[in-house]
């Protein structure tokens, strides 16, 4: 009689238990405790006990899942879209033109896409691991303004999950104050595929950060940083940054092109100095 009753209760209550808002964990824990007592009394636990245990485990897993709101799902999809678009652009190796080439091998290239406009691509090799770079550029993104003089501030507005967040960034003046500060509200989306890390992003809207007086709200995206260990030395990283930005305002195109390409080249140097200074501090 008892086995039949448990079977019936487990079958009937499964869908209802998933939607309960109170005492859910307590109910599941009580069920598990009762099953344990029964199994102790009867060492040859029958199949119905094992079935209920599996169902109880499934219910517990459902409790632990974090549901996303409609808005949060939209942000996650935006991040995925930014990544897919960026990968598509980077996979097409034709049509790139040189903008800046450094003596150390750093180079910035550009090309114009019909549906996006002009995009820029930075390619460098960093003498640091991709895991370290991932941590600096995603996990510690709010500290970027401390080592990159082109950034005033980066603030995390909302963390949706371990891969997706909303941020607000404010840039400094550029080109001898010819370009006033800009700000961006962005989705940032991180993804790992094997040993390769992707940090993608694009502009979005959020009521948490309305437009600010005296600052032009610019738009970016799709944009993506790709971190891949070099074939010669896995402790070094091949660093690729796809940049697409509309600075808005009344600015000559030649000026914005110069500002964006130079900002990429400068970024690589600022990041190197920051990582080297951290390494030197850890060695002391």
């Amino acid at each position: 009689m008892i086995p039949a009753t448990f079977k019936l209760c487990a079958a009937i209550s499964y869908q209802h238990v998933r939607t309960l808002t109170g005492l859910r964990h307590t109910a599941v824990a009580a069920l598990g405790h009762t099953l344990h007592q029964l199994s102790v009394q009867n060492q040859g636990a029958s199949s119905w006990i094992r079935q209920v245990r599996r169902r109880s485990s499934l219910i517990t897993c459902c409790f632990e899942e974090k549901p996303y709101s409609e808005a949060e799902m939209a942000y996650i999809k935006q991040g995925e879209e930014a990544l897919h678009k960026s990968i598509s652009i980077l996979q097409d190796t034709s049509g790139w033109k040189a903008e800046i080439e450094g003596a150390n091998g750093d180079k910035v290239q550009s090309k114009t896409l019909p549906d996006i406009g002009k995009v820029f691509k930075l390619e460098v090799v960093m003498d640091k691991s991709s895991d370290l770079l991932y941590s600096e550029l995603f996990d510690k993104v709010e500290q970027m303004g401390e080592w990159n003089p082109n950034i005033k501030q980066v603030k995390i507005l909302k963390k949706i999950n371990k891969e997706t967040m909303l941020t607000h960034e404010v840039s400094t003046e550029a080109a001898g104050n010819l370009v006033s500060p800009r700000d961006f509200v962005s989705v940032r989306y991180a993804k790992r595929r094997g040993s390769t890390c992707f940090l993608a992003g694009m502009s979005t809207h959020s009521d948490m950060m309305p437009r600010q007086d005296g600052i032009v709200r610019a738009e970016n995206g799709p944009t993506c940083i790709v971190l891949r260990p070099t074939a010669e030395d896995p402790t070094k990283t091949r660093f690729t940054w796809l940049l697409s930005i509309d600075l808005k305002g009344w600015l000559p195109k030649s000026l914005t092109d110069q500002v964006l390409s130079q900002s990429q080249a400068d970024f690589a140097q600022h990041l190197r100095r920051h990582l080297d200074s951290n390494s030197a501090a850890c060695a002391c």
Side-chain angles (χ1 to χ4, degrees):
M1 183 65 183
I2 293 177
T5 302
F6 267 103
K7 267 187 172 181
L8 181 61
C9 291
I12 292 175
S13 65
Y14 174 58
Q15 291 299 329
H16 300 289
V17 173
R18 290 184 65 187
T19 59
L20 291 177
T21 56
L23 301 180
R24 291 185 290 188
H25 288 285
T26 304
V28 173
L31 177 59
H33 179 67
T34 302
L35 291 174
H36 175 71
Q37 288 181 326
L38 288 173
S39 66
V40 170
Q41 295 170 7
N42 179 12
Q43 294 299 325
S46 59
S47 62
W48 68 268
I49 291 182
R50 291 193 294 271
Q51 290 173 3
V52 175
R53 276 179 175 160
R54 286 196 294 269
R55 181 151 296 193
S56 175
S57 177
L58 177 60
I59 294 172
T60 303
C61 291
C62 292
F63 292 156
E64 293 174 354
E65 291 177 0
K66 177 187 175 183
Y68 297 111
S69 67
E70 185 176 344
E72 289 173 332
M73 283 303 303
Y75 290 133
I76 293 172
K77 289 180 179 179
Q78 278 186 297
E80 293 173 345
E81 179 187 356
L83 176 59
H84 294 155
K85 284 186 175 180
S86 297
I87 291 176
S88 177
I89 294 170
L90 291 171
Q91 285 178 337
D92 185 359
T93 58
S94 63
W96 292 96
K97 298 180 180 179
E99 294 279 346
I100 299 174
E101 294 188 13
N104 60 353
D106 292 4
K107 60 181 179 181
V108 178
Q109 298 174 304
S110 69
K111 71 175 176 179
T112 301
L113 302 175
D115 55 337
I116 296 177
K118 197 162 189 177
V119 296
F120 297 84
K121 179 176 65 174
L122 169 71
E123 291 182 305
V124 304
V125 173
M126 294 282 180
D127 294 331
K128 305 295 179 183
S129 70
S130 56
D131 286 342
L132 177 59
L133 290 166
Y134 178 96
S135 176
E136 288 291 339
L137 299 175
F138 193 76
D139 298 332
K140 301 178 182 178
V141 66
E142 288 188 312
Q143 300 176 22
M144 190 175 294
E146 298 174 7
W147 54 264
N148 185 354
N150 293 326
I151 298 294
K152 273 188 177 180
Q153 174 185 294
V154 179
K155 180 181 180 182
I156 297 175
L157 301 177
K158 184 179 182 64
K159 283 189 175 181
I160 298 173
N161 56 31
K162 64 180 181 180
E163 297 177 338
T164 314
M165 67 174 76
L166 298 184
T167 61
H168 177 243
E169 310 100 53
V170 182
S171 69
T172 59
E173 298 84 357
N177 296 335
L178 293 176
V179 180
S180 62
R182 261 59 176 170
D183 78 336
F184 307 82
V185 176
S186 307
V187 173
R188 292 177 183 256
Y189 180 74
K191 198 72 175 178
R192 290 177 181 265
R193 294 182 181 175
S195 60
T196 302
C197 304
F198 299 89
L199 307 177
M202 65 187 304
S203 283
T204 191
H205 171 76
S206 173
D207 293 334
M208 290 183 285
M209 186 52 65
R211 294 178 181 271
Q212 300 182 354
D213 293 338
I215 300 180
V216 177
R217 176 65 52 86
E219 294 182 359
N220 66 339
T223 182
C224 186
I225 292 175
V226 183
L227 307 172
R228 183 182 294 111
T230 63
E232 303 80 15
D233 185 349
T235 64
K236 296 183 179 181
T237 303
R238 190 167 298 281
F239 181 109
T240 303
W241 177 18
L242 175 72
L243 178 65
S244 170
I245 288 185
D246 183 353
L247 291 176
K248 302 297 185 179
W250 300 97
L251 295 172
K253 188 175 182 303
S254 59
L255 177 61
T256 59
D257 289 350
Q258 178 186 348
V259 168
L260 294 177
S261 59
Q262 189 61 52
S263 68
Q264 282 195 300
D266 292 344
F267 179 87
Q269 296 304 318
H270 297 318
L271 180 56
R272 280 195 183 99
R273 282 195 288 268
H274 168 64
L275 296 174
D276 289 342
S277 64
N278 278 359
S279 297
C282 291
C284 295

Coordinates of all heavy atoms in Angstrom, one line a residue, residues 69-136:
S69 N 14.1 36.5 -17.0 CA 13.0 37.3 -17.5 C 13.1 37.4 -19.0 O 14.1 37.1 -19.6 CB 13.0 38.6 -16.8 OG 14.1 39.4 -17.3
E70 N 12.0 38.0 -19.5 CA 12.0 38.2 -21.0 C 13.1 39.2 -21.4 O 13.7 39.0 -22.4 CB 10.6 38.7 -21.4 CG 10.4 38.9 -22.9 CD 9.0 39.4 -23.2 OE1 8.1 39.3 -22.4 OE2 8.8 39.9 -24.4
A71 N 13.3 40.2 -20.6 CA 14.3 41.2 -20.9 C 15.7 40.6 -20.8 O 16.6 40.8 -21.7 CB 14.2 42.4 -19.9
E72 N 15.9 39.7 -19.8 CA 17.2 39.1 -19.7 C 17.5 38.2 -20.9 O 18.6 38.1 -21.4 CB 17.3 38.3 -18.4 CG 17.4 39.2 -17.1 CD 17.3 38.5 -15.8 OE1 16.7 37.4 -15.8 OE2 17.8 39.0 -14.8
M73 N 16.5 37.4 -21.3 CA 16.7 36.5 -22.4 C 17.0 37.4 -23.7 O 17.8 36.9 -24.5 CB 15.4 35.7 -22.7 CG 15.2 34.5 -21.7 SD 16.6 33.4 -21.8 CE 16.7 32.9 -23.5
A74 N 16.4 38.5 -23.8 CA 16.7 39.4 -25.0 C 18.2 39.8 -24.9 O 18.8 39.9 -26.0 CB 15.8 40.6 -25.0
Y75 N 18.7 40.1 -23.8 CA 20.1 40.5 -23.7 C 21.0 39.4 -24.0 O 22.0 39.5 -24.7 CB 20.4 41.0 -22.2 CG 19.8 42.4 -21.9 CD1 19.1 42.6 -20.7 CD2 19.9 43.4 -22.8 CE1 18.6 43.8 -20.4 CE2 19.3 44.7 -22.5 CZ 18.7 44.8 -21.3 OH 18.1 46.0 -21.0
I76 N 20.7 38.2 -23.5 CA 21.5 37.0 -23.8 C 21.5 36.8 -25.3 O 22.6 36.5 -25.9 CB 20.9 35.8 -23.1 CG1 21.1 35.9 -21.6 CG2 21.6 34.5 -23.6 CD1 20.5 34.8 -20.8
K77 N 20.4 36.9 -26.0 CA 20.3 36.7 -27.4 C 21.1 37.8 -28.2 O 21.7 37.5 -29.2 CB 18.8 36.7 -27.9 CG 18.1 35.5 -27.5 CD 16.6 35.5 -27.9 CE 15.9 34.2 -27.5 NZ 14.4 34.3 -28.0
Q78 N 21.1 39.0 -27.7 CA 21.9 40.0 -28.3 C 23.4 39.7 -28.2 O 24.1 39.9 -29.2 CB 21.7 41.4 -27.6 CG 20.4 42.1 -28.0 CD 20.3 43.5 -27.4 OE1 20.2 43.6 -26.2 NE2 20.4 44.5 -28.2
G79 N 23.8 39.2 -27.0 CA 25.2 38.8 -26.9 C 25.6 37.7 -27.9 O 26.6 37.7 -28.5
E80 N 24.7 36.7 -28.0 CA 25.0 35.6 -29.0 C 25.0 36.1 -30.4 O 25.8 35.7 -31.2 CB 23.9 34.5 -28.8 CG 23.9 33.8 -27.5 CD 22.7 32.9 -27.3 OE1 21.7 33.0 -28.1 OE2 22.8 32.0 -26.4
E81 N 24.1 37.1 -30.7 CA 24.1 37.7 -32.0 C 25.4 38.4 -32.3 O 26.0 38.3 -33.4 CB 22.9 38.6 -32.2 CG 22.8 39.3 -33.5 CD 21.7 40.3 -33.6 OE1 21.0 40.5 -32.6 OE2 21.6 41.0 -34.6
A82 N 25.9 39.2 -31.3 CA 27.1 39.9 -31.5 C 28.3 38.9 -31.8 O 29.1 39.2 -32.6 CB 27.4 40.7 -30.3
L83 N 28.3 37.8 -31.1 CA 29.4 36.8 -31.3 C 29.3 36.2 -32.7 O 30.3 36.1 -33.4 CB 29.3 35.7 -30.2 CG 30.3 34.6 -30.4 CD1 31.7 35.1 -30.3 CD2 30.0 33.5 -29.3
H84 N 28.1 35.8 -33.1 CA 27.9 35.2 -34.4 C 28.3 36.1 -35.6 O 29.0 35.7 -36.5 CB 26.5 34.7 -34.6 CG 26.1 33.6 -33.6 ND1 24.8 33.3 -33.2 CD2 26.9 32.7 -33.0 CE1 24.8 32.3 -32.4 NE2 26.1 31.9 -32.2
K85 N 27.9 37.4 -35.5 CA 28.2 38.4 -36.5 C 29.7 38.6 -36.5 O 30.3 38.7 -37.6 CB 27.5 39.7 -36.2 CG 26.0 39.6 -36.6 CD 25.4 41.0 -36.4 CE 23.9 41.0 -36.9 NZ 23.3 42.4 -36.7
S86 N 30.3 38.7 -35.4 CA 31.8 39.0 -35.3 C 32.6 37.9 -35.9 O 33.5 38.1 -36.7 CB 32.2 39.2 -33.8 OG 31.5 40.3 -33.3
I87 N 32.2 36.6 -35.6 CA 32.9 35.5 -36.1 C 32.8 35.5 -37.6 O 33.8 35.2 -38.4 CB 32.4 34.2 -35.5 CG1 32.8 34.1 -34.0 CG2 32.9 33.0 -36.3 CD1 32.3 32.9 -33.3
S88 N 31.6 35.8 -38.1 CA 31.4 35.8 -39.6 C 32.3 36.8 -40.3 O 32.8 36.6 -41.3 CB 29.9 36.1 -39.9 OG 29.7 36.2 -41.3
I89 N 32.4 38.0 -39.6 CA 33.3 39.1 -40.2 C 34.7 38.7 -40.2 O 35.4 38.8 -41.2 CB 33.0 40.4 -39.4 CG1 31.6 40.9 -39.6 CG2 34.1 41.4 -39.9 CD1 31.3 42.1 -38.7
L90 N 35.2 38.1 -39.1 CA 36.6 37.8 -38.9 C 37.0 36.6 -39.8 O 38.1 36.5 -40.2 CB 36.9 37.4 -37.5 CG 36.8 38.6 -36.5 CD1 37.0 38.1 -35.1 CD2 37.9 39.6 -36.8
Q91 N 36.0 35.7 -40.1 CA 36.3 34.6 -41.0 C 36.6 35.0 -42.4 O 37.2 34.2 -43.2 CB 35.2 33.5 -40.9 CG 35.2 32.7 -39.6 CD 34.1 31.7 -39.5 OE1 33.0 31.9 -40.2 NE2 34.2 30.7 -38.7
D92 N 36.1 36.1 -42.8 CA 36.3 36.6 -44.2 C 37.6 37.4 -44.2 O 37.6 38.5 -43.7 CB 35.1 37.5 -44.6 CG 35.2 37.9 -46.1 OD1 36.3 37.6 -46.7 OD2 34.3 38.6 -46.6
T93 N 38.6 36.8 -44.7 CA 40.0 37.4 -44.6 C 40.3 38.4 -45.8 O 41.3 39.0 -45.9 CB 41.1 36.4 -44.6 OG1 40.9 35.5 -45.7 CG2 40.9 35.5 -43.3
S94 N 39.3 38.5 -46.7 CA 39.6 39.3 -47.9 C 39.1 40.8 -47.6 O 38.2 41.1 -46.8 CB 38.8 38.8 -49.1 OG 37.4 38.8 -48.8
G95 N 39.8 41.7 -48.3 CA 39.4 43.1 -48.3 C 39.9 44.0 -47.2 O 39.6 45.1 -47.1
W96 N 40.7 43.4 -46.3 CA 41.3 44.2 -45.2 C 42.4 45.1 -45.7 O 43.3 44.6 -46.4 CB 41.8 43.3 -44.1 CG 40.7 42.6 -43.4 CD1 40.2 41.3 -43.7 CD2 39.8 43.1 -42.3 NE1 39.2 41.0 -42.8 CE2 38.9 42.0 -42.0 CE3 39.7 44.3 -41.6 CZ2 38.0 42.1 -41.0 CZ3 38.8 44.4 -40.6 CH2 37.9 43.3 -40.3
K97 N 42.4 46.4 -45.3 CA 43.5 47.3 -45.7 C 44.2 47.8 -44.4 O 43.6 48.0 -43.3 CB 42.8 48.5 -46.4 CG 42.1 48.2 -47.7 CD 41.5 49.4 -48.3 CE 40.8 49.0 -49.6 NZ 40.2 50.2 -50.3
A98 N 45.5 48.0 -44.6 CA 46.4 48.4 -43.4 C 46.1 49.8 -43.0 O 45.9 50.7 -43.8 CB 47.8 48.2 -43.8
E99 N 45.9 50.0 -41.7 CA 45.8 51.3 -41.1 C 47.0 51.7 -40.3 O 47.6 52.8 -40.5 CB 44.6 51.3 -40.2 CG 43.2 51.1 -40.9 CD 42.7 52.4 -41.5 OE1 43.2 53.5 -41.1 OE2 41.8 52.3 -42.3
I100 N 47.5 50.8 -39.4 CA 48.7 51.0 -38.6 C 49.5 49.7 -38.5 O 48.9 48.7 -38.3 CB 48.3 51.5 -37.2 CG1 47.5 52.8 -37.2 CG2 49.5 51.6 -36.3 CD1 47.0 53.2 -35.8
E101 N 50.8 49.8 -38.7 CA 51.6 48.7 -38.5 C 52.8 49.1 -37.6 O 53.6 50.0 -37.9 CB 52.1 48.2 -39.9 CG 51.1 47.6 -40.8 CD 51.6 46.9 -42.0 OE1 52.8 46.7 -42.1 OE2 50.8 46.7 -42.9
G102 N 52.9 48.4 -36.5 CA 54.0 48.7 -35.5 C 55.2 47.9 -35.7 O 55.2 46.8 -36.4
A103 N 56.3 48.4 -35.3 CA 57.6 47.7 -35.4 C 57.6 46.4 -34.7 O 58.4 45.5 -35.0 CB 58.7 48.6 -34.9
N104 N 56.8 46.2 -33.6 CA 56.7 45.0 -32.8 C 55.7 44.0 -33.4 O 55.5 42.9 -32.8 CB 56.3 45.3 -31.4 CG 54.9 46.0 -31.4 OD1 54.3 46.3 -32.4 ND2 54.4 46.2 -30.2
G105 N 55.2 44.3 -34.6 CA 54.3 43.3 -35.3 C 52.8 43.6 -35.1 O 52.0 43.0 -35.7
D106 N 52.5 44.6 -34.2 CA 51.1 44.9 -34.0 C 50.5 45.6 -35.3 O 51.3 46.4 -35.9 CB 50.9 46.0 -32.9 CG 51.2 45.4 -31.5 OD1 51.6 44.2 -31.4 OD2 51.1 46.1 -30.5
K107 N 49.3 45.3 -35.6 CA 48.8 45.9 -36.8 C 47.3 46.1 -36.7 O 46.6 45.3 -36.0 CB 49.0 45.0 -38.1 CG 48.5 43.6 -38.1 CD 48.9 42.9 -39.3 CE 48.3 41.4 -39.4 NZ 48.7 40.7 -40.6
V108 N 46.8 47.2 -37.3 CA 45.4 47.5 -37.3 C 45.0 47.6 -38.8 O 45.6 48.3 -39.6 CB 45.1 48.9 -36.6 CG1 43.6 49.2 -36.7 CG2 45.5 48.9 -35.2
Q109 N 43.9 46.9 -39.1 CA 43.4 46.9 -40.5 C 41.9 47.3 -40.4 O 41.3 47.3 -39.4 CB 43.5 45.5 -41.1 CG 45.0 45.0 -41.2 CD 45.0 43.5 -41.7 OE1 44.5 42.6 -41.0 NE2 45.7 43.3 -42.8
S110 N 41.4 47.6 -41.6 CA 40.0 48.0 -41.7 C 39.4 47.6 -43.0 O 40.1 47.3 -44.0 CB 39.9 49.5 -41.6 OG 40.4 50.2 -42.7
K111 N 38.1 47.5 -43.0 CA 37.4 47.3 -44.3 C 35.9 47.8 -44.1 O 35.5 47.9 -42.9 CB 37.4 45.9 -44.8 CG 36.6 44.9 -44.0 CD 36.7 43.5 -44.8 CE 36.0 42.4 -44.1 NZ 36.1 41.2 -44.8
T112 N 35.3 48.1 -45.1 CA 33.9 48.6 -45.1 C 32.9 47.6 -45.5 O 33.1 46.9 -46.5 CB 33.7 49.9 -46.0 OG1 34.7 50.9 -45.6 CG2 32.3 50.4 -45.9
L113 N 31.9 47.4 -44.6 CA 30.9 46.4 -44.8 C 29.6 47.1 -45.2 O 29.2 48.1 -44.5 CB 30.7 45.5 -43.6 CG 32.0 44.7 -43.1 CD1 31.7 44.0 -41.9 CD2 32.4 43.8 -44.2
P114 N 28.8 46.5 -46.1 CA 27.6 47.2 -46.6 C 26.6 47.5 -45.5 O 25.9 48.5 -45.5 CB 27.1 46.3 -47.7 CG 27.7 45.0 -47.5 CD 29.0 45.3 -46.8
D115 N 26.4 46.5 -44.6 CA 25.3 46.6 -43.6 C 25.8 47.2 -42.2 O 25.0 47.4 -41.3 CB 24.7 45.3 -43.3 CG 25.7 44.2 -43.0 OD1 26.9 44.4 -43.3 OD2 25.3 43.2 -42.3
I116 N 27.1 47.4 -42.1 CA 27.6 47.9 -40.8 C 28.4 49.2 -41.0 O 28.3 50.1 -40.1 CB 28.6 46.8 -40.2 CG1 27.7 45.5 -39.9 CG2 29.2 47.3 -38.9 CD1 28.6 44.4 -39.3
G117 N 29.2 49.3 -42.0 CA 30.0 50.4 -42.2 C 31.5 50.0 -42.0 O 31.8 48.8 -42.3
K118 N 32.3 50.9 -41.6 CA 33.7 50.6 -41.4 C 34.0 49.9 -40.1 O 33.6 50.3 -39.1 CB 34.6 51.9 -41.5 CG 36.1 51.6 -41.8 CD 36.8 52.9 -42.3 CE 38.2 52.6 -42.8 NZ 38.9 53.7 -43.3
V119 N 34.7 48.8 -40.2 CA 35.1 48.0 -39.1 C 36.7 48.0 -39.0 O 37.3 48.0 -40.0 CB 34.5 46.6 -39.1 CG1 33.0 46.7 -39.0 CG2 35.0 45.8 -40.3
F120 N 37.2 47.8 -37.8 CA 38.6 47.8 -37.6 C 39.0 46.5 -36.9 O 38.3 45.9 -36.1 CB 39.1 49.0 -36.8 CG 38.8 50.3 -37.4 CD1 37.6 50.9 -37.3 CD2 39.8 50.9 -38.1 CE1 37.3 52.1 -37.9 CE2 39.6 52.2 -38.7 CZ 38.3 52.8 -38.6
K121 N 40.2 46.0 -37.2 CA 40.7 44.8 -36.6 C 42.1 44.9 -36.1 O 43.0 45.3 -36.9 CB 40.6 43.6 -37.7 CG 41.1 42.3 -37.2 CD 41.0 41.2 -38.2 CE 41.8 41.4 -39.4 NZ 41.8 40.2 -40.4
L122 N 42.3 44.7 -34.8 CA 43.6 44.7 -34.2 C 44.1 43.3 -34.1 O 43.4 42.4 -33.6 CB 43.6 45.4 -32.9 CG 44.8 45.3 -32.0 CD1 45.9 46.1 -32.5 CD2 44.5 45.6 -30.5
E123 N 45.4 43.1 -34.5 CA 46.0 41.8 -34.4 C 47.4 41.9 -33.7 O 48.2 42.6 -34.3 CB 46.2 41.1 -35.7 CG 44.8 40.6 -36.3 CD 45.0 39.9 -37.6 OE1 45.7 40.5 -38.6 OE2 44.5 38.8 -37.8
V124 N 47.5 41.3 -32.5 CA 48.8 41.4 -31.8 C 49.1 40.1 -31.1 O 48.2 39.2 -31.1 CB 48.8 42.5 -30.7 CG1 48.4 43.9 -31.3 CG2 47.8 42.2 -29.6
V125 N 50.3 39.9 -30.6 CA 50.6 38.7 -29.8 C 51.0 39.3 -28.4 O 51.8 40.2 -28.3 CB 51.8 37.9 -30.4 CG1 52.2 36.8 -29.4 CG2 51.4 37.3 -31.7
M126 N 50.3 38.7 -27.4 CA 50.6 39.1 -26.0 C 51.4 38.1 -25.3 O 51.1 36.9 -25.5 CB 49.3 39.3 -25.2 CG 48.4 40.5 -25.7 SD 49.1 42.1 -25.1 CE 47.9 43.2 -25.9
D127 N 52.4 38.5 -24.5 CA 53.2 37.5 -23.8 C 52.6 37.0 -22.5 O 53.3 36.9 -21.5 CB 54.6 38.1 -23.5 CG 55.4 38.4 -24.8 OD1 55.2 37.7 -25.8 OD2 56.2 39.3 -24.8
K128 N 51.3 36.9 -22.6 CA 50.5 36.4 -21.4 C 49.5 35.3 -21.8 O 49.2 35.3 -23.0 CB 49.8 37.6 -20.7 CG 50.7 38.7 -20.3 CD 51.7 38.4 -19.2 CE 52.6 39.6 -18.9 NZ 53.6 39.2 -17.9
S129 N 49.1 34.6 -20.9 CA 48.1 33.5 -21.2 C 46.8 34.1 -21.5 O 46.4 35.1 -21.1 CB 48.0 32.5 -20.1 OG 47.4 33.1 -19.0
S130 N 46.0 33.3 -22.3 CA 44.6 33.7 -22.6 C 43.7 33.8 -21.4 O 42.8 34.6 -21.3 CB 44.0 32.8 -23.7 OG 44.1 31.5 -23.3
D131 N 44.0 32.9 -20.4 CA 43.2 32.9 -19.2 C 43.4 34.2 -18.4 O 42.4 34.8 -17.9 CB 43.5 31.7 -18.3 CG 43.0 30.4 -18.8 OD1 42.1 30.4 -19.6 OD2 43.5 29.3 -18.4
L132 N 44.6 34.7 -18.4 CA 44.9 35.9 -17.7 C 44.2 37.1 -18.4 O 43.6 38.0 -17.8 CB 46.4 36.1 -17.6 CG 46.9 37.5 -17.0 CD1 46.4 37.6 -15.5 CD2 48.4 37.6 -17.0
L133 N 44.3 37.1 -19.7 CA 43.7 38.2 -20.5 C 42.2 38.1 -20.3 O 41.6 39.2 -20.2 CB 44.1 38.1 -22.0 CG 45.6 38.4 -22.3 CD1 45.9 37.9 -23.6 CD2 45.8 39.9 -22.1
Y134 N 41.6 37.0 -20.3 CA 40.2 36.8 -20.1 C 39.8 37.4 -18.8 O 38.8 38.2 -18.7 CB 39.8 35.3 -20.2 CG 38.4 35.0 -20.0 CD1 37.5 34.8 -21.0 CD2 37.8 34.9 -18.7 CE1 36.2 34.5 -20.8 CE2 36.5 34.6 -18.5 CZ 35.7 34.4 -19.5 OH 34.3 34.1 -19.3
S135 N 40.5 37.1 -17.8 CA 40.2 37.6 -16.4 C 40.3 39.2 -16.4 O 39.4 39.8 -15.8 CB 41.2 37.1 -15.4 OG 41.0 37.6 -14.1
E136 N 41.3 39.7 -17.0 CA 41.5 41.2 -17.0 C 40.4 41.9 -17.8 O 39.9 43.0 -17.4 CB 42.9 41.6 -17.6 CG 44.0 41.2 -16.7 CD 44.1 42.1 -15.4 OE1 43.5 43.2 -15.5 OE2 44.7 41.7 -14.5

